Amino acid sequence: GENVEQHPSTLSVQEGDSAVIKCTYSDSASNYFPWYKQELGKGPQLIIDIRSNVGEKKDQRIAVTLNKTAKHFSLHITETQPEDSAVYFCALNDYKLSFGAGTTVTVRA
Amino acid sequence: EAGVAQSPRYKIIEKRQSVAFWCNPISGHATLYWYQQILGQGPKLLIQFQNNGVVDDSQLPKDRFSAERLKGVDSTLKIQPAKLEDSAVYLCASSSGPNGRVDLWSGYTFGSGTRLTVV
């Protein structure tokens, strides 16, 4: 499947601070970039997505940016809260989802 | 709407035994996926169904894994015989595009998964 590299693998932030997760990909034909959040014991849940004709998308405290030229996209979480603690996955959708390795985010109270 | 249902939630078996997982997708979703998620990794696609036909099973270890989706609704994934390296969470997901076709822009809805431990 499509190769997606995700960094960092773990991220610890103080409550209220921002968290940023970055992903890079190799297939320039990729056009859709979703982000999933996975809580313990649950399946991944779609939290935000972006299409290739858009450079940035926001939804309350989360935002995603896309740089197609550089082939990378990022997830930004602002004003982090304890409930943001989870594993986050970037993915590409080329008629099937290819996931990054995941980032474990811990928000310290 | 009801989510993707999976059962059982947990299963422990000995190596060389067989096991089956069941998935009921969201009503009306034509596309169903089985993913394998090994601890600490992202989910990896095993097989993709469009209605009751297989679209992609290139990553399915066919010597031991099999899957079916009778009548284009529920699906079962079977492992026989199981190996230690099959220990993982098996996730089922469904999605729906226009006219029931695979849609590049459709989000997937995942079930909670079945955690398999092979000892």
Side-chain angles (χ1 to χ4, degrees):
Chain A
E2 174 61 50
N3 185 39
V4 186
E5 292 191 4
Q6 182 172 347
H7 298 280
S9 58
T10 61
L11 182 59
S12 180
V13 297
Q14 189 70 36
E15 182 177 358
D17 287 351
S18 296
V20 181
I21 304 169
K22 298 181 180 180
C23 288
T24 59
Y25 61 98
S26 54
D27 184 2
S28 58
S30 299
N31 286 306
Y32 177 61
F33 308 88
W35 285 88
Y36 285 78
K37 175 183 180 182
Q38 187 173 27
E39 298 176 325
L40 198 62
K42 297 183 179 180
Q45 179 183 14
L46 178 69
I47 56 172
I48 194 168
D49 55 21
I50 191 168
R51 302 188 183 190
S52 59
N53 59 346
V54 176
E56 183 177 3
K57 182 177 178 180
K58 290 183 179 180
D59 183 4
Q60 299 182 347
R61 295 186 297 106
I62 60 173
V64 57
T65 59
L66 171 65
N67 184 327
K68 282 217 74 180
T69 302
K71 297 180 187 176
H72 66 73
F73 56 113
S74 300
L75 178 71
H76 305 252
I77 307 173
T78 59
E79 302 173 17
T80 53
Q81 300 171 4
E83 55 263 36
D84 295 329
S85 295
V87 181
Y88 292 81
F89 294 97
C90 62
L92 303 177
N93 192 353
D94 183 17
Y95 294 100
K96 61 183 179 184
L97 280 179
S98 296
F99 286 87
T103 298
T104 301
V105 174
T106 303
V107 180
R108 307 187 307 272
Chain B
E1 61 179 2
V4 175
Q6 289 189 248
S7 66
R9 285 300 312 274
Y10 307 93
K11 192 73 177 180
I12 300 174
I13 62 172
E14 295 182 350
K15 58 184 179 182
R16 291 187 291 274
Q17 286 187 326
S18 63
V19 65
F21 314 126
W22 173 82
C23 172
N24 187 3
I26 290 176
S27 177
H29 279 195
T31 312
L32 184 147
Y33 313 82
W34 283 102
Y35 278 81
Q36 179 193 57
Q37 186 175 22
I38 294 173
L39 186 64
Q41 299 181 17
K44 184 187 77 172
L45 180 69
L46 292 175
I47 189 168
Q48 175 183 344
F49 290 94
Q50 179 70 14
N51 297 306
N52 60 349
V54 175
V55 174
D56 184 350
D57 63 356
S58 59
Q59 299 300 309
L60 188 73
K62 298 180 186 65
D63 58 334
R64 299 183 300 105
F65 286 65
S66 64
E68 61 181 9
R69 190 183 185 195
L70 298 176
K71 300 180 181 179
V73 182
D74 293 5
S75 178
T76 56
L77 176 69
K78 298 179 182 178
I79 308 175
Q80 181 179 13
K83 293 184 176 181
L84 296 177
E85 58 261 37
D86 297 332
S87 294
V89 175
Y90 290 84
L91 295 162
C92 179
S94 68
S95 68
S96 180
N99 301 316
R101 297 194 303 271
V102 175
D103 183 356
L104 186 64
W105 318 114
S106 296
Y108 291 22
T109 301
F110 283 85
S112 295
T114 296
R115 181 176 296 277
L116 173 67
T117 303
V118 182
V119 298

